[in-house]
Amino acid sequence: MKKTFKTLVATAAVAAGLATGAAQAQERVFFGIATGGTGGTYYPLGGMLAQVLSNNTELDGKKLSATAETGNASVANAGLLGRGAIESAFVAADVLDAAYKGKNQFEGKPLKNLRALGALYPETVQLVTQPGIAKFEDLKGKSVSSGSPGSGQWQLLGDLLASHGMKREDITEDYSSFSQSVEKIKDGHLDASLITAGSPTASVVELSNGHDINIVPLSGPAIAKLQETQPYYANTVLKAGTYKGVDKDVETLAVRAIWTTHADLPEDIAYAVTKALYENTETLGKVHVKGKEISVDTALESVSIPLHKGAERYFREKGIIK
C-alpha cells in the first residue's frame, strides 16, 4: 500500500555510452484505491475506476496514475485510511458510519479523519446456502461463513442472529473469504456464507454455474427489527436469474458502498478524482455492471460522515449541494 499521498518525480536514466543529455523528467501523482478480495465486487470495479481516473485526471500538467489494491474490504480499508496508509478506499456505509463515530468494531476508537468522496452503488446482502436451507432459522446447527472476526460481515451475521432470536453458539462459524467460502460450499465443507457485494458477485456466479445453491430471503419482522439498529440496510430484491438456478425474486437487504478518503488528501486531488468519477460513469457502466448504478444524483445517499472539501466543491458546482 502507498504510505501517504505524495508526488514522485520519475526521471528516465540515460543509457551508458550515449552522447545525448539526460531524458526529460516526467512528474506523476500516484493515487491508490483499496478495494477487496478478488472474489467480490470491490476489486474489479476498483480496477476499472483506476483506469478511468488515470485516463481522465490531470493536475497542473502532472499525470495521475491510479492503482487498485487488493484488500480485506470495509473494516480493514477504514483502518488503512485512518492511518493515512492509502489515498482512498471502498467502505460500506454502515461500517463507515461506525468507524467515524467509534461504534461496533471501532468502539472507543473513532476515525475522525475519514472523509467521503461520494456514494457508489448498492451492495446486496446475499445469504448463499446449500440446497435445502430455505429460511434463516434453518442455519441452526449448520456451518456458516461470516468473514474475518471484526469485519462488517461478521458484525452483520451477529446482528442477524440476534434479530432472529439466535446466538453465535447456535451455528458453527467459519471465517473464510468470499472466494474460500464458495469453494467450501462447492466441496460440501460449508453449509452457508454471508456475502455482501454488488450482484451478480463473480465468485457466486462461478459457484452457481457448477453447483446447486439457494439464496435465503432476508425479510419480515426480524429484518425490520435489525433495521431499527442498522438503518443503513435498505430493502431490495435480488432478481430472478441473477444466478443460475435462482428462478424467483429474493427479498433481501442492501447497503451502499462509499468511496472514502482521509482529511490529509489535498483538496485539488479530491476535487479532480471526484469529478473524473462522476463525469465518466457511462464508461464505467460499459465495462462493469455495477458502474451503471453509479450516478452523481445518488452521490450523497447513505453518506453520514463529512465530505472531503474537494468533493464538496465539485458537488456544489453540480448543484447537488446548494
Side-chain angles (χ1 to χ4, degrees):
M1 294 290 183
K2 313 300 182 292
K3 294 303 180 186
T4 55
F5 164 83
K6 52 187 177 182
T7 302
L8 301 178
V9 180
T11 307
V14 181
L18 293 180
T20 55
Q24 187 175 11
Q26 183 182 21
E27 204 168 13
R28 290 179 179 268
V29 175
F30 291 90
F31 186 87
I33 308 167
T35 62
T38 56
T41 304
Y42 279 5
Y43 181 70
L45 186 65
M48 300 301 180
L49 175 58
Q51 185 174 341
V52 165
L53 297 181
S54 297
N55 291 342
N56 295 278
T57 310
E58 199 167 282
L59 299 145
D60 296 326
K62 304 183 185 82
K63 180 74 174 176
L64 184 127
S65 293
T67 57
E69 310 280 357
T70 57
N72 292 317
S74 293
V75 173
N77 287 354
L80 286 171
L81 292 172
R83 300 192 301 273
I86 196 161
E87 290 77 31
S88 73
F90 294 168
V91 184
D94 58 328
V95 173
L96 183 60
D97 184 76
Y100 185 79
K101 296 177 180 176
K103 302 186 302 182
N104 298 337
Q105 308 96 315
F106 303 91
E107 187 69 41
K109 298 178 181 178
L111 303 178
K112 290 296 185 181
N113 67 328
L114 297 182
R115 297 292 184 270
L117 292 171
L120 298 172
Y121 61 90
E123 297 183 276
T124 307
V125 180
Q126 302 161 93
L127 182 52
V128 183
T129 73
Q130 298 281 7
I133 299 177
K135 58 185 184 299
F136 190 89
E137 290 83 354
D138 293 341
L139 295 179
K140 191 167 186 176
K142 305 293 186 181
S143 56
V144 185
S145 175
S146 61
S148 59
S151 69
Q153 294 287 117
W154 183 86
Q155 183 73 43
L156 175 58
L157 179 59
D159 291 339
L160 285 168
L161 287 166
S163 67
H164 286 84
M166 298 167 63
K167 300 179 180 178
R168 290 190 184 273
E169 293 76 13
D170 292 328
I171 62 171
T172 300
E173 198 162 358
D174 182 279
Y175 307 110
S176 298
S177 67
F178 291 173
S179 297
Q180 292 169 334
S181 295
V182 297
E183 286 300 317
K184 288 185 176 181
I185 291 174
K186 185 187 303 181
D187 296 337
H189 300 313
L190 185 69
D191 294 312
S193 179
L194 190 63
I195 295 177
T196 302
S199 59
T201 307
S203 54
V204 183
V205 170
E206 182 181 354
L207 174 65
S208 67
N209 285 339
H211 186 91
D212 290 339
I213 63 168
N214 189 34
I215 308 292
V216 172
L218 296 173
S219 61
I223 297 304
K225 180 179 178 182
L226 168 67
Q227 289 169 321
E228 291 175 4
T229 57
Q230 294 281 359
Y232 296 100
Y233 284 98
N235 298 315
T236 192
V237 174
L238 185 74
K239 292 295 185 181
T242 300
Y243 301 112
K244 184 178 179 180
V246 180
D247 300 324
K248 296 180 180 179
D249 290 352
V250 179
E251 294 183 353
T252 186
L253 299 170
V255 61
R256 279 198 176 272
I258 310 295
W259 193 21
T260 310
T261 186
H262 53 73
D264 292 333
L265 185 74
E267 184 175 332
D268 62 333
I269 304 295
Y271 172 86
V273 297
T274 304
K275 178 182 174 72
L277 166 62
Y278 289 107
E279 295 191 358
N280 290 280
T281 54
E282 184 177 345
T283 299
L284 277 176
K286 290 178 180 177
V287 296
H288 196 287
V289 64
K290 301 313 290 184
K292 297 176 181 178
E293 300 179 38
I294 301 173
S295 168
V296 70
D297 295 327
T298 56
L300 301 184
E301 282 190 7
S302 300
V303 175
S304 64
I305 72 166
L307 286 168
H308 192 287
K309 289 183 179 179
E312 182 179 347
R313 174 155 62 97
Y314 173 73
F315 292 130
R316 287 190 184 282
E317 285 181 2
K318 298 297 291 183
I320 304 302
I321 299 176
K322 304 299 183 183

